[in-house]
Amino acid sequence: MNAESGFPVKPVYGPADVPAGAGADEPGQYPYTRGVYPTMYTKRPWTMRQYAGFGTAAESNARYHQLLAAGTMGLSVAFDLPTQMGYDSDDPIAHGEVGKVGVAIDSIDDMRLLFKDIPLDRVSTSMTINAPGSVLLLLYQLVAEEQGVPGTALQGTIQNDILKEYIARGTYIFPPKPSLRLVADTFAYCKAEIPKWNTISISGYHMAEAGASPAQEIAFTLANGIEYVRAAIAAGLAVDDFAPRLSFFFVARTTLLEEIAKFRAARRMWARIMRDEFGAKDPKSLMLRFHTQTAGVQLTAQQPEVNLIRVAIQALGAVAGGTQSLHTNSYDEALALPTEKSARLALRTQQVLAYESGLTGTVDPFAGSYAVEALTDAVEREATALIDRVFEYGSAVDAIEQGFQKGEIEASAYRIATEIDSGERVVVGVNRFTLDEEEKYEPLRVDPAIEAAQVARLARLREERDGPAVQDALKDLAKAAAGSVNVLPLMKDALRLRATVGEVCHTLRGVWGVHRPVERF
């Protein structure tokens, strides 16, 4: 059989398949194949996050309180599509999408409601937001300041990974060059103002959801990481000043051994890239720290309870692969937003792994396995070759503009789809072990009245705030965007005055323009 990455998997592995000393590296030491920390989970488990957000800020706040009460150790915020694209809920383009795939956040008023009665100095918050990532981070900081929490006490992550949006997801706003400037500005701002914050989560997850193989996932993610490091250095930042706050985001599939190998290979590759290409000296600059989410794309609407088993296997791969934090999907996510019960079951999956499985008793338990060590080497070879192909174009951005990564991912997605259609790749409940009739399922539904309520909130906000002061602040932001100074302090000033997410993004659109993908036929 072949691995998802395309190379053959042998029926039997032995000493001849791995180099002498394979698996003998020490955890917490270069090249970090066995984990970024010496003790890994033996002292404390990974951070258990549950990705949540829907409807209004008040509804999402209630779900966060439920998750925290159930034992979640960190929050992970899903934003609706208009917010992700930098549009307010009352923008005509937002009609029909408000609150659908995440929470609608239009202003500091919404962010204040989202985190009501949640002590921001005691939780770690991850926000899945990219093009307007800096805007949402500033709103979070402003709400924390209202709680009396300084930026130095805040911990969490913004995804802020714009390059993968051009490759696989599409929620970009600005062209690549100003987008990279905004990323570099965020690095510099957080170093000074929010030093514990992870300024970017360089994401392979969404490429995997689009069809990338494990080798493609880490190759294109690390290539984007190289591009961000280059952009920050070009902006005048020293590599060891920002690299320790870089983080990554990967998927965990059901192909257990290949996934464990993928995580081990990615750590090793990044350590070598940072040391050899960028001359990083701080050990933290060499550590690939990552969040994992189980594979939503592998969940099925047919026999949805089977997804409980899939998620457990995927989570096992993430933990055995050494993730720093983990979100487990709910079994019903292929049908609708998770119910409170299914979200709790997803969290309980992590808790069983942490406290009942024995996995936390030893570091990298698969080290030295002939199969896992050989697969780690194989994934690394495939991914390294792909990175070399990316940079044959000159840069990751040049390759993106030529459609290289997107084309490779589409070819991989087509290969997997044809294997499923032919029955060569089994998906339980879809092409084998099917039922004649599925049980009825009642999904959680988003109230369509949410959009009207958000529009009314925005109307009140615009009536109550100091409109001329907001306009002056937005004009100052436009001047900064046209120059070379860091735009985040000007954005924060406008947001404090209750400028909206859409107004800030429209101001930047007016200066930087928008990205128009080249159509290829």
Side-chain angles (χ1 to χ4, degrees):
M1 64 171 286
N2 284 343
E4 282 205 24
S5 296
F7 56 79
V9 176
K10 296 174 63 172
V12 178
Y13 287 92
D17 296 299
V18 296
D25 294 341
E26 290 296 321
Q29 293 185 18
Y30 181 88
Y32 304 104
T33 309
R34 300 195 61 195
V36 291
Y37 304 122
T39 58
M40 288 303 290
Y41 312 133
T42 61
K43 301 297 184 185
R44 64 181 297 272
W46 59 94
T47 299
M48 299 178 196
R49 298 189 187 279
Q50 286 304 110
Y51 185 49
F54 61 94
T56 66
E59 287 177 299
S60 294
N61 174 263
R63 175 62 62 88
Y64 295 155
H65 281 285
Q66 292 164 3
L67 289 170
L68 289 168
T72 292
M73 298 154 63
L75 300 175
S76 188
V77 184
F79 296 95
D80 72 356
L81 196 56
T83 305
Q84 293 180 49
M85 299 292 290
Y87 291 106
D88 290 331
S89 296
D90 60 356
D91 194 297
I93 202 170
H95 180 61
E97 293 294 337
V98 176
K100 285 284 181 69
V101 299
V103 61
I105 298 294
D106 294 315
S107 71
I108 190 173
D109 294 15
D110 293 326
M111 189 66 88
R112 196 180 289 125
L113 268 177
L114 186 65
F115 291 102
K116 183 180 179 182
D117 297 327
I118 294 174
L120 298 186
D121 56 343
R122 301 209 300 271
V123 300
S124 170
T125 302
S126 173
M127 294 190 279
T128 303
I129 192 75
N130 294 283
S134 54
V135 183
L136 276 298
L137 172 60
L138 293 170
L139 288 173
Y140 186 84
Q141 184 188 15
L142 286 166
V143 170
E145 289 173 353
E146 291 179 352
Q147 292 186 3
V149 178
T152 52
L154 296 178
Q155 297 187 64
T157 305
I158 45 171
Q159 194 161 101
N160 198 29
D161 174 10
I162 195 60
L163 294 181
K164 67 95 174 48
E165 298 296 328
Y166 304 118
I167 294 172
R169 195 159 173 266
T171 62
Y172 45 72
I173 300 175
F174 317 113
K177 286 184 179 178
S179 293
L180 285 173
R181 173 198 167 173
L182 191 53
V183 170
D185 280 359
T186 305
F187 289 176
Y189 180 86
C190 287
K191 180 180 182 295
E193 301 288 335
I194 319 176
K196 296 180 183 178
W197 197 267
N198 297 317
T199 49
I200 193 168
S201 179
I202 307 165
S203 176
Y205 180 88
H206 301 96
M207 294 187 231
E209 293 281 283
S213 71
Q216 289 174 337
E217 178 192 356
I218 62 171
F220 299 151
T221 303
L222 298 189
N224 286 350
I226 291 169
E227 195 75 19
Y228 292 125
V229 173
R230 289 178 177 176
I233 291 172
L237 300 176
V239 65
D240 286 323
D241 283 346
F242 66 86
R245 303 316 306 170
L246 302 179
S247 66
F248 291 79
F249 175 25
F250 294 118
V251 77
R253 302 169 180 80
T254 52
T255 44
L256 181 67
L257 296 183
E258 188 178 0
E259 290 298 288
I260 295 171
K262 176 192 76 178
F263 297 130
R264 300 172 88 248
R267 269 194 299 273
R268 191 158 72 196
M269 292 171 67
W270 186 246
R272 290 173 178 161
I273 288 167
M274 293 305 291
R275 185 193 69 173
D276 298 343
E277 182 168 343
F278 296 108
K281 299 291 191 295
D282 186 340
K284 292 182 179 179
S285 298
L286 311 180
M287 295 178 185
L288 183 142
R289 297 169 303 110
F290 63 94
H291 171 69
T292 308
Q293 181 172 334
T294 55
V297 73
Q298 291 186 320
L299 302 185
T300 64
Q302 300 92 334
Q303 300 180 47
E305 292 86 354
V306 177
N307 293 328
L308 287 164
I309 295 91
R310 292 188 178 100
V311 169
I313 293 169
Q314 293 162 359
L316 173 62
V319 172
T323 192
Q324 276 58 71
S325 64
L326 176 62
H327 162 83
T328 32
N329 288 326
S330 301
Y331 75 90
D332 51 357
E333 287 187 37
L335 296 165
L337 289 168
T339 62
E340 180 183 347
K341 180 179 180 180
S342 65
R344 186 171 59 247
L345 280 171
L347 175 61
R348 295 288 184 253
T349 303
Q350 296 198 51
Q351 291 166 336
V352 169
L353 285 174
Y355 301 109
E356 295 187 27
S357 72
L359 270 177
T360 58
T362 188
V363 178
D364 191 22
F366 284 84
S369 157
Y370 298 135
V372 168
E373 295 292 352
L375 289 171
T376 299
D377 290 346
V379 172
E380 182 178 6
R381 282 193 300 273
E382 291 286 327
T384 300
L386 279 168
I387 290 176
D388 290 343
R389 290 180 65 192
V390 167
F391 288 104
E392 286 174 3
Y393 288 86
S395 70
V397 170
D398 293 329
I400 287 168
E401 290 176 342
Q402 294 299 313
F404 171 68
Q405 298 97 320
K406 187 171 184 289
E408 291 292 302
I409 291 170
E410 288 172 350
S412 174
Y414 179 75
R415 173 174 60 85
I416 296 297
T418 56
E419 290 174 2
I420 293 171
D421 289 345
S422 70
E424 180 183 352
R425 184 176 295 274
V426 175
V427 180
V428 173
V430 175
N431 62 4
R432 197 181 295 185
F433 313 115
T434 58
L435 295 176
D436 293 334
E437 186 175 341
E438 295 283 341
E439 294 181 19
K440 188 176 180 181
Y441 171 81
E442 277 300 322
L444 177 69
R445 301 188 187 278
V446 175
D447 187 345
I450 284 170
E451 182 174 332
Q454 278 296 112
V455 169
R457 280 174 58 79
L458 278 167
R460 286 196 301 273
L461 175 145
R462 292 192 172 104
E463 287 177 1
E464 295 168 357
R465 70 186 185 184
D466 185 340
V470 170
Q471 292 306 310
D472 287 344
L474 292 173
K475 288 175 184 176
D476 290 341
L477 173 59
K479 290 176 185 175
S484 58
V485 301
N486 194 313
V487 296
L488 268 73
L490 282 303
M491 282 199 285
K492 187 180 180 186
D493 290 343
L495 293 166
R496 183 186 287 110
L497 292 166
R498 299 172 82 191
T500 67
V501 172
E503 288 166 344
V504 168
C505 290
H506 280 314
T507 297
L508 296 178
R509 282 185 182 96
V511 179
W512 292 341
V514 295
H515 177 65
R516 305 288 185 192
V518 176
E519 296 292 339
R520 291 176 175 81
F521 299 94

